[in-house]
């Protein structure tokens, strides 16, 4: 399975500021995903980030609020812009298994609290 | 539209007893089905998947799941529960013809194994 790391692991931010979350994978992967897990909730896909193309956002998520970069096949960033307390969530990146092409593997998550 | 239902918010079982965590799904065409586990302050860990073939699939930590096409179910099972199995479990699905690889997650079931 792929080894995925995220930075920061957690942060407390003030309303109106922005935070950039980094996701690093130990192998080259084509497809990366960013999910949000609000407190006590399930996972919701924010966007799909493929290298060399613009990210594809799901309904309810927009690029101005959640800009994503994918500069190469092992790295991606998600920025949470102009934060409000409603953005307090765990943000997780994931990749599709390169070996089987089926299961997704997830990073440890970034726990964001907005005050 | 694709969807996943986990009808139980919490499942309580005594250590040593068998456990079942229920999952039903709705998807166009054939499904790819997955179970993930989330321990406190940790990311999601992949447990097992059904892609095709034998309806009973075995995964990590002694867990298994049975795919039932007629009932559109994919229940997670373990013959003998451990206290360390206590965690949050998520069922996920995507359509076999879905080239986006997007996963749809259930709401999660909290498993509590008492000593």
């Amino acid at each position: 399975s792929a080894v995925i790391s995220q930075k920061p692991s957690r942060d407390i931010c003030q309303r109106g500021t922005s935070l950039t979350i980094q996701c690093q994978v130990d192998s080259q992967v084509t497809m990366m995903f960013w999910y949000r897990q609000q407190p006590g909730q399930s996972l919701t896909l924010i966007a799909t980030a493929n290298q060399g193309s613009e990210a594809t956002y799901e309904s309810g998520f927009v690029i101005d609020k959640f800009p994503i970069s994918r500069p190469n096949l092992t790295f991606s960033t998600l920025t949470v812009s102009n934060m409000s307390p409603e953005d307090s969530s765990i943000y997780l990146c994931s990749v599709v298994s390169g070996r089987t092409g089926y299961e997704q593997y997830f990073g440890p998550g970034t726990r964001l609290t907005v005050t | 539209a694709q969807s996943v239902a986990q009808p139980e918010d919490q499942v309580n079982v005594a250590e040593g007893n068998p456990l079942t965590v229920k999952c039903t799904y709705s998807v166009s065409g054939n499904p790819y089905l997955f179970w993930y586990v989330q321990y406190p302050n940790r990311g999601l860990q992949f447990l097992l998947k059904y892609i095709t073939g034998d309806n009973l699939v075995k995964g990590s930590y002694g867990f298994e799941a049975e795919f039932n096409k007629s009932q559109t179910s994919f229940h997670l099972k373990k013959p003998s529960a451990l206290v360390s199995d206590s965690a949050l479990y998520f069922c996920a699905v995507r359509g076999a013809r879905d080239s986006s690889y997007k996963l749809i997650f259930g709401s999660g079931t909290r498993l509590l194994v008492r000593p």
Side-chain angles (χ1 to χ4, degrees):
Chain A
S1 64
V3 177
I4 306 170
S5 60
Q6 287 185 232
K7 291 181 180 179
S9 59
R10 59 177 61 221
D11 207 341
I12 302 173
C13 302
Q14 290 193 344
R15 180 196 300 259
T17 63
S18 298
L19 176 72
T20 295
I21 302 168
Q22 300 178 7
C23 178
Q24 179 75 51
V25 189
D26 69 340
S27 57
Q28 293 185 338
V29 293
T30 302
M31 305 185 78
M32 293 181 74
F33 305 87
W34 286 98
Y35 288 84
R36 181 175 74 181
Q37 185 179 20
Q38 294 178 302
Q41 303 293 316
S42 184
L43 282 80
T44 301
L45 181 64
I46 297 172
T48 303
N50 293 337
Q51 197 268 338
S53 63
E54 294 289 325
T56 304
Y57 289 83
E58 297 300 303
S59 176
F61 297 96
V62 295
I63 187 171
D64 289 346
K65 175 68 176 177
F66 297 101
I68 288 171
S69 77
R70 182 79 200 276
N72 58 52
L73 291 174
T74 64
F75 187 79
S76 178
T77 67
L78 169 76
T79 298
V80 185
S81 304
N82 187 24
M83 288 184 284
S84 66
E86 293 70 36
D87 295 319
S88 297
S89 296
I90 299 173
Y91 293 86
L92 302 103
C93 66
S94 75
V95 302
V96 175
S97 166
R99 185 174 66 86
T100 69
Y102 294 120
E103 62 267 29
Q104 289 186 22
Y105 292 100
F106 286 79
T110 295
R111 183 179 294 271
L112 171 62
T113 302
V114 183
T115 61
Chain B
Q2 298 174 123
S3 66
V4 177
Q6 293 182 241
E8 303 153 317
D9 290 337
Q10 182 163 313
V11 169
N12 299 305
V13 64
E15 186 174 33
N17 284 358
L19 69 88
T20 298
V21 182
K22 296 180 180 178
C23 171
T24 59
Y25 67 89
S26 174
V27 69
S28 298
N30 292 323
Y32 291 163
L33 293 154
F34 308 86
W35 275 102
Y36 289 85
V37 60
Q38 186 176 37
Y39 296 99
N41 301 312
R42 305 270 292 276
L44 265 68
Q45 295 181 30
F46 169 74
L47 276 180
L48 51 79
K49 67 179 183 289
Y50 171 82
I51 302 299
T52 187
D54 194 344
N55 289 343
L56 184 64
V57 294
K58 296 185 182 297
S60 306
Y61 312 119
F63 284 94
E64 58 190 28
E66 185 166 13
F67 170 62
N68 187 316
K69 187 172 184 177
S70 63
Q71 297 185 4
T72 62
S73 67
F74 189 57
H75 300 331
L76 181 70
K77 300 180 181 183
K78 187 173 183 181
S80 179
L82 300 173
V83 173
S84 57
D85 292 331
S86 298
L88 187 57
Y89 291 80
F90 290 99
C91 181
V93 68
R94 71 173 173 97
R97 293 178 292 182
D98 182 358
S99 59
S100 72
Y101 288 80
K102 289 189 288 188
L103 288 179
I104 305 300
F105 283 86
S107 55
T109 298
R110 188 166 300 280
L111 174 65
L112 181 61
V113 182
R114 59 185 185 275

